[in-house]
């Protein structure tokens, strides 16, 4: 996340043995869930980009700018997961959506290809809309490609680590039947990853794409987007591998 379930996690309880790690509420129609993913991702990116703009206007100290940006993201993400988790699972992140589909692909109650095909475009569209909205609120050009190059190898490694940790956290909570703590846990992790990863933890392909549309503190140059997204996907696979390695002891337990 930056970011999210960049940047998030479902908040409903599941049995980690008989059901996929995070099951969408079955009574919520798909259009409502897709709307929640679009609006939630848009709000998340608006928080990230808007707080970055505000921080740069208030201080020239880069450390304080990052602190303000990370704190706003922590609080915003936690609230969004708490609010929208019961509707869509509060993914806001294609990596999380794909990981949930893969984990529950053999279960009829799991996230299906139809949901994945609807969620991911909504997340990307929401991220772009959120960046444009933040720029509009601060009088910036509505669409101005970022010039912030983030193509260095150590930054790409940071994205692998950030995304793997996010997936491990979300699906580890599911395995341990602790998803009720997701709003606090996921937001706290993203806040920490802002500081302990070299990339400031985008950890979310949709948010990465959205942040290319703003030439502000939180932006990323379009030329850097493919590398970040590729590393985030690798991080997602690594995170699921860690879940399988660490939580194997949960298999067979009721």
């Amino acid at each position: 996340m930056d970011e999210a379930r960049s940047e998030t996690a479902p908040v409903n309880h599941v049995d980690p043995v008989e059901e996929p790690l995070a099951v969408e509420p079955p009574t919520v129609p798909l259009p409502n869930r897709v709307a929640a993913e679009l609006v939630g991702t848009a709000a998340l990116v608006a928080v990230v980009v808007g707080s970055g703009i505000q921080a740069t206007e208030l201080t020239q100290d880069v450390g304080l700018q990052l602190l303000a940006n990370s704190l706003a993201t922590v609080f915003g993400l936690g609230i969004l997961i708490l609010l929208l988790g019961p509707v869509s699972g509060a993914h806001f992140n294609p990596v999380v959506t794909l990981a949930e589909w893969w984990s529950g692909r053999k279960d009829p109650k799991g996230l299906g290809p139809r949901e994945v095909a609807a969620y991911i475009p909504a997340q990307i569209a929401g991220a772009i809309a959120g960046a444009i909205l933040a720029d509009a609120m601060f009088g910036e050009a509505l669409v101005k490609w970022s010039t912030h190059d983030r193509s260095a190898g150590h930054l790409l490694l940071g994205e692998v680590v950030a995304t793997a940790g996010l997936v491990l956290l979300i699906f580890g909570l599911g395995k341990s039947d602790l998803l009720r703590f997701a709003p606090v846990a996921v937001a706290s992790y993203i806040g920490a990853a802002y500081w302990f990863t070299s990339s400031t933890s985008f950890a979310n392909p949709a948010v990465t794409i959205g942040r290319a549309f703003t030439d502000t503190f939180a932006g990323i140059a379009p030329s850097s987007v493919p590398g970040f997204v590729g590393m985030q996907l690798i991080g997602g696979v690594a995170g699921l591998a860690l879940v399988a390695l660490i939580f194997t002891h949960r298999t067979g337990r009721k």
Side-chain angles (χ1 to χ4, degrees), residues 213-236:
F213 283 73
T214 176
D215 192 21
T216 58
F217 179 79
I220 176 173
S223 60
S224 299
V225 169
F228 260 50
V229 171
M231 293 304 103
Q232 289 157 0
L233 293 173
I234 291 172

Side-chain angles (χ1 to χ4, degrees), residues 150-158 198:
R150 299 178 189 263
S151 60
H154 66 281
L155 300 181
L156 298 178
L157 175 60
S198 57

